[in-house]
Amino acid sequence: MQISFSRKTKMFRLDTQNSTYAMMIGHGGELRHLYYGASIADDDITAFAHRRDRAFSPYPEGLTSEESLNIACLEYSTFGNGDFHNTAAALRKQNGTAVTSAVYKTHTITKGKAPLPGLPASFAPEKQVQTLEITLTDTFSGALIVLRYSIFDDSDVIARSVKIVNKSKETIRIEKLMSAQLDFDSMQYDMVYLQGKWARERHAMRTPLQPGMQGFRSARGSSGHQYNPGVVLASKNATEQQGEVYGMLLLYSGSYAVEVEADEYESTRAMIGINRETFSWTLEKGAEFNSPEALIMFSANGFSGLSAQSHAFLTDHVIRSPWKHVKRPILVNNWEATYFDFTDSKIYDLAKSASKLGIEMLVLDDGWFGERNGDNSSLGDWFVNKKKVGDLGRLVARINKLGMKFGLWFEPEMISEISELYKTHPEWVLSVPGGKRSLGRNQMVLDMSRGEVVDYLFEAIAGILRSANIEYIKWDMNRNLTEIHSSALPPEQQGEVAHRYVLGVYELHERLLNEFPNLLIEGCSGGGGRFDAGMLYYVPQIWCSDDTDAIERVSIQLGTSLFYPSATMGAHVSVCPNHQTHRSVSFQFRGDVALAGTFGYELDVTRLDKEDQQMIREQVARYHKYNDLIREGTFHRITEGFGHGDIAAWCWVSADRKEALVTAVRKFDSPCAQSPVFRLRIPGLDAARKYTIENGGAFHGSTLMNAGINVSNDLRGNAVSALYHLKAK
């Protein structure tokens, strides 16, 4: 790990374990991107910056046409100064212009990495991380644009963010500020991204780059079900195990944009950051603004290589929870068992039956507070509905005596019109004065940009947590932001509301975790509608999807694994017919798929027959046997296509490569679909070691990696699955 600068060549290098990132100061003071990829020698590569002259390309006064910003690979581009591509930053001045420049001023290279005020950010001990700060000047205003890069001694991931400091004598409005930019001198890449909708989130899509603009975004105030704030640019020949791939991942839970442009010269620019459609920021004299952090990563070993980097980095340098290296309790959630129709006796009976099967925690979902008996009232009234629950502390104590933990559902960011809170504080709702409001699931959105709203929620939720031994909460968010207007801000600052909302959500998380540091929080947003790296800074796991159908979950979970570790994915066994797809599959198949996440149950255990009860006992035992490997091992997708085919397989390999667990599934069978023999090649093993497959013989790692194992007999029929446990002799 080393960051260096050559005064002779004016070149910066960031060298990680296996990659090199290089840029230089151009003749006009611009930062030119030179190289990003596999490690290269310490050579002068500044010639990479030279480009041929192109017709009609403007260039800075006093320089030649070859210095045009429009034909250069740039490190960070700005609006209106001769670069006609989509640009990363625009600062509006009081004279009306948004023309912005970015000219080198100074730089520093230091040990350590400072946190980002109010925002999630990667971290490491000071001696394990280096940070480069390059300060650029907007010559049209005097504002400073500070580019920050951090590299870590155990990772190839580079953390990036941008800070704007208003050094001018006037107010500046930030109209666009992307967190990271990557320029390529080719467009011969495929774009891979995660696309979906409610109950079908994060399916991996792969499409060739086309000339022009492409990308995706959220304007919903959250990262959303529809896309995920990360993108991969992959070489045409990239597979799971080989080929060059580049990733960008945003640590942010609000509206974002991924923008990719391939120009007429077949160059490519990719950027990621806050969505400018829902953002502007008024920056007074002397003030500063920090962008969310973005992670960039490169792998020469295909998609699984990139995923391994991302998984390890998020675990080691983003997730802070004391639970991240701890086996999570197996839970049963009452929602699909009871919905709103429950009493304290019914909840206790559910816990009692679950405890006999080895389940370790009961989670009481929606309906325990206010006058909540349906989805039309009481959000915001965070006090116990004693008619249904009785004495919450007593109920929790009774459940604890069964040897079970207790968890509780909250939806802090929402408010019902029929609620005591709305009667008292109607001004706390996001709404435009004099205009109609939108409803979603019969609820409105609290204005989390207001400090008094965050204060109220903290005291209300903390009061509940203090009243009983509550060790887990499920934090839900069941609608997106509309009418994004705050009565607490003046007209010129209304563009700040969406970002301030996210900062309020982060602040509430921070305050709760400061008082309850061992609290296990699972994020949720109508399922997987806010599954992002920013949220993982506060919660170690997120409910992957409201769709608990195991066949659908294969593609959802394998798509999610492009960036996110198995231990972050909330995955449960649910009842059949499934409540979302009305499909029935075997209890074993449901369990094997859910084993790839945090594991739990979404069903009424009091109504199961003896066969299913015994299956739960076996699944509980399997979870305890394999979870350390699943949680801490290196994850590999074995089959191509991120689970879109009828057969999918994945595995985890221990750090010492002495143990592996393979899961193989067939969704649907069909006659004469393929060769009678189907072999899985298992990556990541030690070629020289000999592995015993539980109930299946012994083979050298080289055989298992290059020839594979025959799974044909185990994958016959629809919705069938098999586990293969390998241990080195």
Side-chain angles (χ1 to χ4, degrees):
M1 173 190 76
Q2 183 179 7
I3 298 176
S4 60
F5 174 69
S6 169
R7 294 189 179 278
K8 179 181 179 181
T9 63
K10 297 184 179 181
M11 183 173 71
F12 296 93
R13 283 179 61 111
L14 291 79
D15 288 290
T16 69
Q17 290 178 329
N18 302 290
S19 71
T20 298
Y21 189 100
M23 55 189 148
M24 67 173 288
I25 304 169
H27 294 152
E30 76 282 0
L31 274 181
R32 295 199 168 210
H33 181 76
L34 298 176
Y35 174 81
Y36 185 32
S39 296
I40 59 176
D42 187 14
D43 294 323
D44 180 2
I45 58 170
T46 54
F48 286 19
H50 292 293
R51 298 287 297 273
R52 290 194 312 166
D53 185 14
R54 300 290 186 184
F56 306 110
S57 290
Y59 52 91
E61 186 176 6
L63 299 178
T64 68
S65 58
E66 287 188 350
E67 301 300 323
S68 171
L69 300 183
N70 195 49
I71 57 174
C73 285
L74 297 176
E75 191 60 30
Y76 199 73
S77 56
T78 52
F79 174 75
N81 64 344
D83 180 359
F84 295 118
H85 300 87
N86 189 28
T87 51
L91 307 179
R92 180 80 62 180
K93 291 80 173 176
Q94 285 188 345
N95 65 4
T97 184
V99 174
T100 307
S101 67
V103 176
Y104 173 82
K105 179 180 177 67
T106 186
H107 74 272
T108 61
I109 300 172
T110 58
K111 281 283 189 182
K113 180 178 184 292
L116 291 180
L119 285 165
S122 55
F123 56 86
E126 182 176 306
K127 63 182 180 181
Q128 297 176 14
V129 58
Q130 270 189 300
T131 297
L132 167 66
E133 286 197 355
I134 304 176
T135 300
L136 311 172
T137 301
D138 172 19
T139 56
F140 295 96
S141 69
L144 303 181
I145 304 171
V146 183
L147 308 183
R148 292 176 287 208
Y149 305 76
S150 293
I151 61 173
F152 302 75
D153 65 0
D154 62 351
S155 177
D156 288 322
V157 173
I158 301 174
R160 294 178 59 172
S161 64
V162 182
K163 178 172 68 174
I164 305 296
V165 184
N166 187 0
K167 291 290 188 178
S168 74
K169 297 180 180 180
E170 60 184 39
T171 298
I172 292 174
R173 187 167 73 247
I174 304 172
E175 295 191 341
K176 186 177 185 182
L177 188 68
M178 303 303 275
S179 296
Q181 172 180 324
L182 280 177
D183 278 12
F184 301 86
D185 55 12
S186 168
M187 62 173 285
Q188 295 304 307
Y189 297 98
D190 290 340
M191 187 169 74
V192 180
Y193 57 100
L194 303 178
Q195 184 271 338
K197 53 190 173 185
W198 174 78
R200 203 175 182 272
E201 299 90 339
R202 290 177 305 286
H203 281 232
M205 308 294 290
R206 181 172 183 171
T207 182
L209 287 184
Q210 301 293 332
M213 287 295 300
Q214 50 235 280
F216 48 91
R217 94 294 189 254
S218 167
R220 299 168 181 269
S222 70
S223 42
H225 298 83
Q226 293 69 27
Y227 302 97
N228 196 258
V231 67
V232 171
L233 294 183
S235 57
K236 295 292 186 179
N237 66 342
T239 65
E240 281 293 348
Q241 304 301 325
Q242 63 183 11
E244 294 187 341
V245 290
Y246 298 84
M248 305 177 79
L249 184 65
L250 191 65
L251 273 67
Y252 191 59
S253 307
S255 299
Y256 68 90
V258 170
E259 300 172 349
V260 181
E261 181 180 14
D263 70 8
E264 69 271 34
Y265 304 122
E266 298 191 0
S267 297
T268 301
R269 172 170 294 169
M271 301 190 296
I272 192 167
I274 296 177
N275 184 355
R276 70 180 303 176
E277 294 174 301
T278 58
F279 170 79
S280 66
W281 195 271
T282 301
L283 205 61
E284 301 293 341
K285 176 184 175 182
E288 64 180 49
F289 179 87
N290 292 280
S291 80
E293 186 168 275
L295 307 178
I296 63 171
M297 54 198 88
F298 165 82
S299 172
N301 300 312
F303 297 110
S304 280
L306 187 84
S307 295
Q309 285 185 30
S310 184
H311 296 182
F313 189 87
L314 292 176
T315 300
D316 295 336
H317 299 296
V318 174
I319 301 172
R320 298 177 297 166
S321 171
W323 285 93
K324 68 178 176 180
H325 291 301
V326 177
K327 188 187 298 180
R328 318 289 162 75
I330 301 171
L331 66 84
V332 61
N333 186 299
N334 76 297
W335 181 244
E336 291 192 10
T338 68
Y339 292 100
F340 291 107
D341 183 19
F342 61 82
T343 63
D344 56 341
S345 296
K346 186 180 288 189
I347 295 302
Y348 178 77
D349 289 344
L350 185 63
K352 186 175 181 180
S353 296
S355 68
K356 295 176 181 178
L357 302 175
I359 297 173
E360 300 163 309
M361 181 162 66
L362 184 285
V363 177
L364 179 57
D365 210 282
D366 195 356
W368 59 268
F369 54 91
E371 298 292 332
R372 183 83 161 174
N373 294 302
D375 65 6
N376 65 341
S377 76
S378 301
L379 286 172
D381 294 346
W382 299 114
F383 52 85
V384 176
N385 184 338
K386 295 185 177 180
K387 296 175 186 177
K388 296 173 71 173
V389 178
D391 185 320
L392 180 63
R394 179 176 178 274
L395 175 62
V396 173
R398 291 181 71 203
I399 290 174
N400 288 163
K401 285 182 180 179
L402 296 171
M404 295 190 72
K405 299 177 184 294
F406 184 86
L408 205 55
W409 178 94
F410 287 91
E411 192 170 5
E413 301 158 62
M414 300 298 149
I415 183 172
S416 301
E417 189 167 16
I418 304 173
S419 67
E420 295 301 316
L421 182 63
Y422 184 73
K423 290 179 185 177
T424 307
H425 289 291
E427 75 279 9
W428 284 4
V429 174
L430 286 178
S431 59
V432 177
K436 291 185 177 181
R437 296 182 307 230
S438 301
L439 295 177
R441 202 174 179 248
N442 296 310
Q443 60 197 51
M444 301 171 290
V445 183
L446 280 171
D447 182 359
M448 298 293 292
S449 73
R450 302 177 71 124
E452 62 268 40
V453 171
V454 175
D455 290 342
Y456 163 76
L457 290 171
F458 171 73
E459 291 301 332
I461 296 170
I464 295 292
L465 297 178
R466 295 176 193 130
S467 73
N469 185 29
I470 298 165
E471 300 179 70
Y472 161 105
I473 65 172
K474 181 178 178 181
W475 183 312
D476 212 343
M477 179 200 185
N478 279 308
R479 65 154 292 185
N480 296 128
L481 278 58
T482 56
E483 293 82 49
I484 304 176
H485 182 281
S486 173
S487 60
L489 290 174
E492 65 271 17
Q493 288 186 268
Q494 289 302 318
E496 303 175 14
V497 176
H499 182 62
R500 288 183 181 274
Y501 178 98
V502 179
L503 296 180
V505 172
Y506 289 156
E507 181 186 349
L508 181 55
H509 271 282
E510 196 72 49
R511 291 173 66 177
L512 287 170
L513 290 172
N514 283 338
E515 180 164 344
F516 308 98
N518 295 316
L519 182 67
L520 174 57
I521 302 178
E522 179 165 310
C524 182
S525 179
R530 196 161 61 184
F531 201 120
D532 57 70
M535 196 53 63
L536 288 176
Y537 185 73
Y538 304 95
V539 305
Q541 61 193 58
I542 301 172
W543 185 227
C544 209
S545 176
D546 277 347
D547 191 341
T548 55
D549 173 51
I551 287 179
E552 289 293 326
R553 273 299 187 108
V554 171
S555 297
I556 292 171
Q557 291 172 196
L558 287 179
T560 304
S561 73
L562 177 61
F563 291 114
Y564 304 104
S566 300
T568 66
M569 300 183 206
H572 295 167
V573 179
S574 64
V575 71
C576 279
N578 180 266
H579 286 201
Q580 288 77 41
T581 65
H582 309 290
R583 180 162 41 207
S584 292
V585 299
S586 72
F587 216 111
Q588 177 185 328
F589 186 84
R590 286 176 269 162
D592 287 348
V593 173
L595 195 64
T598 56
F599 201 72
Y601 292 90
E602 299 274 338
L603 43 75
D604 188 347
V605 295
T606 66
R607 302 177 66 180
L608 298 179
D609 58 29
K610 290 184 178 180
E611 182 179 348
D612 285 348
Q613 290 177 10
Q614 180 57 30
M615 183 64 73
I616 286 182
R617 293 187 183 94
E618 293 173 5
Q619 290 174 347
V620 165
R622 194 175 296 132
Y623 169 81
H624 288 298
K625 180 178 180 180
Y626 297 132
N627 183 255
D628 287 348
L629 177 57
I630 292 171
R631 190 184 65 251
E632 304 294 336
T634 300
F635 180 82
H636 299 269
R637 291 174 297 272
I638 298 175
T639 51
E640 302 290 334
F642 297 91
H644 288 312
D646 283 339
I647 293 179
W650 56 92
C651 70
W652 300 266
V653 180
S654 63
D656 60 10
R657 297 191 291 172
K658 291 182 179 179
E659 186 179 10
L661 180 67
V662 178
T663 302
V665 302
R666 183 191 287 273
K667 299 178 189 176
F668 304 107
D669 205 352
S670 57
C672 301
Q674 60 185 44
S675 168
V677 176
F678 191 83
R679 292 199 302 264
L680 295 177
R681 296 176 179 176
I682 304 170
L685 303 178
D686 186 330
R689 282 195 170 109
K690 196 167 187 178
Y691 293 84
T692 298
I693 303 176
E694 196 170 311
N695 302 320
F699 304 90
H700 283 93
S702 59
T703 302
L704 294 168
M705 289 191 292
N706 298 324
I709 58 174
N710 183 3
V711 299
S712 306
N713 291 334
D714 297 324
L715 297 183
R716 292 180 174 176
N718 296 322
V720 292
S721 60
L723 299 179
Y724 305 93
H725 185 211
L726 286 63
K727 295 198 77 169
K729 290 188 175 180

